[in-house]
Amino acid sequence: AIYKSDGVDAVNLFPSKFITVFCVGTVAVGDVVELDFSATRSTNQTVDAFGISVKKAAATDNLPLACGVATEAITSLPSGVTGFYIKIQYAGYCNTVTPDAAIAVGLPVGSDAGTAGRIQAFTGNVSATAGFFGVVVDAYVTGAGTNDGAIFLIDKGFFNA
């Protein structure tokens, strides 16, 4: 057997993990998502265990429950519907997320205080109210609202997939 490593056959391997979860509300591809423990979650308890519901991350500094990035969008919800199942990326190389400003390689990132669903450079200390969920691996050089870099999402152990 041949052991395939990154770059063999000119195909780069970017290890990533994805999971399908119930998402409450609307979300765009590339938006940061956080765990949602609200009452407006999926009623399909056999598929959607408590804690496997997400929502677009609020415009709050470094949410400790930020857990991944949406890879599918929910643009609108019919009347009486609280959300849909979507796929999110929760670990590995991710180049779809948007920053609040330029961010250098090697800096940890958390949710942005200025715009819901974006990332910002993490500053301060990890605590019950603040945490990071990724590290910049390709610099964001242009700044706010421009997706020209990439992060490596840290698997925080929320999902068993």
Side-chain angles (χ1 to χ4, degrees), residues 25-110:
T26 60
V27 66
V29 172
D31 280 350
V32 175
V33 295
E34 64 176 303
L35 294 180
D36 179 27
F37 295 111
S38 72
T40 57
R41 51 187 293 298
S42 170
T43 56
N44 190 357
Q45 300 286 324
T46 60
V47 174
D48 185 18
F50 195 80
I52 308 296
S53 294
V54 299
K55 62 183 176 183
K56 182 176 184 173
T60 304
D61 269 337
N62 307 313
L63 290 164
L65 294 179
C67 59
V69 176
T71 62
E72 298 174 336
I74 300 174
T75 56
S76 64
L77 295 170
S79 178
V81 175
T82 59
F84 291 109
Y85 283 92
I86 64 165
K87 188 187 318 181
I88 66 165
Q89 181 178 351
Y90 68 95
Y93 183 88
C94 178
N95 63 359
T96 59
V97 71
T98 304
D100 74 328
I103 308 174
V105 170
L107 291 178
V109 293

Side-chain angles (χ1 to χ4, degrees), residues 85-158:
Y85 283 92
I86 64 165
K87 188 187 318 181
I88 66 165
Q89 181 178 351
Y90 68 95
Y93 183 88
C94 178
N95 63 359
T96 59
V97 71
T98 304
D100 74 328
I103 308 174
V105 170
L107 291 178
V109 293
S111 58
D112 180 28
T115 304
R118 286 192 184 172
I119 60 170
Q120 68 180 11
F122 178 83
T123 57
N125 298 311
V126 174
S127 70
T129 59
F132 61 92
F133 66 96
V135 176
V136 175
V137 292
D138 293 331
Y140 290 92
V141 295
T142 305
T146 304
N147 177 4
D148 60 355
I151 63 174
F152 194 87
L153 292 164
I154 298 166
D155 183 349
K156 295 172 109 177
F158 292 134

Side-chain angles (χ1 to χ4, degrees), residues 4-14:
K4 182 172 181 345
S5 61
D6 191 24
V8 172
D9 300 329
V11 176
N12 289 328
L13 172 66
F14 294 118

Side-chain angles (χ1 to χ4, degrees), residues 16-21 52 87-91 155 157-161:
S16 302
K17 292 182 180 179
F18 300 86
I19 190 168
T20 300
V21 293
I52 308 296
K87 188 187 318 181
I88 66 165
Q89 181 178 351
Y90 68 95
D155 183 349
F158 292 134
F159 307 109
N160 184 19

